Every structure is written in structure tokens, then in C-alpha cells.
Amino acid sequence: MSVDVAWAEAWIRTSARVLSEHRARLNTLDREIGDGDHGENMDRGFQAILPKLDGLTDATTPADLLKVLASTLISTVGGAAGPLYGTAYLKAAGAVSGTAELDGDAVVALLTAGRDGIVLRGKAESGDKTMIDAWTPAVDAAAVALAAGAGADQILAAAADAAEAGAVATEPLVARKGRASYLGERAIGHRDPGAESTALILRCAADAAQS
Ligand code: ADP
Ligand code: MG
């Protein structure tokens, strides 16, 4: 599939389904090192966009849909993840605004801007045991794939693979941002829930480009 408005719609709809399926597991991860609501937060935000998508018949670019997703997440999701993901989608949309079909360069720009938005908002660095530890490997892998001549769909697949590995790699880390940072060494051995939701969402982006 071209990485266009239909792709963006498929990405959002698949994300809503997958986050709903993984709601309990994300809550469990967050119960271990936070307050147990990450699955609930993500599910609430992505369910809230579904009725809006049906009414967006004049959307022509991925950015049109990502902007609505951003404002929906910011207004419906309490907790850290709503504003963080909301900013990511808003900045991602800004990076590809007006482009109907995203090529490899545009996909890398979208992912990079999304990651940079989360850093701007949350000030996390790599290794702080947050969603950034999934996003940054994804952005780096996307740039490597682009330089190797990969197409937009292959770039998204490389980003998804790296995000999954990044989420797993949060397990041995001590958290330095968010609620998990209150736990000190007790966070060791637990996967960061936000890194896990990022891995799920970026896999949905890749899958939407394959179908
Ligand atoms: P809350 O912590 O308010 O309950 P959630 O449970 O929905 O919100 O989200 C928790 C996730 O948010 C964490 O697993 C982590 O990945 C992410 N997070 C928290 N603070 C930050 C931050 N400053 N920068 C990046 N990500 C963060
Ligand atoms: Mg929480």
C-alpha cells in the first residue's frame, strides 16, 4: 500500500484494535512500575478517535488524520501518555503537512519529528526507561534503512523491529522519568509500558503499509 491517507487511516484503526487487545497487558506492565492505567489510557484515547474518523471524509493527507488523533489524545487521555503521544502525532503531522503520499524521506521525517516532540515535552533521554527507548532506536533504524535505499514500507518495518527490541531493552534499566522513577532499583526487571505501547503502534504503522 502507498503511505498515504488510506495508510494513515489503517494505521490509526489498527492501533485502536491492537491497543484494545493489549489493554490488560499494558495495565499489568504499568502496575509493576507505575499506577496500572497505561492500557486503559491508550485504549480510551484510540477508541475516542474512531467515530471522528468516519466523519473525516475530506481528509486528503496523512497529516490531516494525525492532527485529529493528536488533539483527541490530548483531550481524552489523562496521565503522562496523552500529552506525550499527542505531541508526537502533532509534530509528526507538521513534518509531512500537505504531502499526500509519503516517500522514504518523509517517513523518516515523520518518525523523527514524533520522537523529537516527545523529548520536547517530556525531556527524557535515551536510557531513562521511557517510550523514548523504543522511539529512538526506531528513528535510527529508519534512517539506516533509508540510507540503504529501502522504500517507505521497508523503513516502517525496520522502525517497528527496532522499537520492539528497544522496548525489551528497557527491562534492565532504572527509570529516571515518570512514575517509575520513584521506584529506583525496584524498576529493574520490568519492561516500560510506554516503550511497549510505542512498539505496538509502530508495528501497526508497518503492517498498514504492507497490506
Ligand atoms: P501516567 O504515568 O501518568 O500514569 P501512563 O501510565 O499512561 O501515564 O504512561 C506511562 C508511560 O509514559 C511510561 O511508561 C513512559 O514510557 C512514559 N513517560 C512518562 N514520563 C515520560 C517522559 N518524561 N518522557 C517520555 N515518556 C514518559
Ligand atoms: Mg500510568
Side-chain angles (χ1 to χ4, degrees), residues 30 35 37-38 41 79-81 84 118 122 124 130-131 177-179 192-195:
D30 194 32
D35 58 354
D37 64 356
H38 187 61
N41 288 340
L84 290 167
I118 297 168
T130 71
M131 58 177 74
K177 283 278 183 293
R179 289 180 198 280
D192 179 64

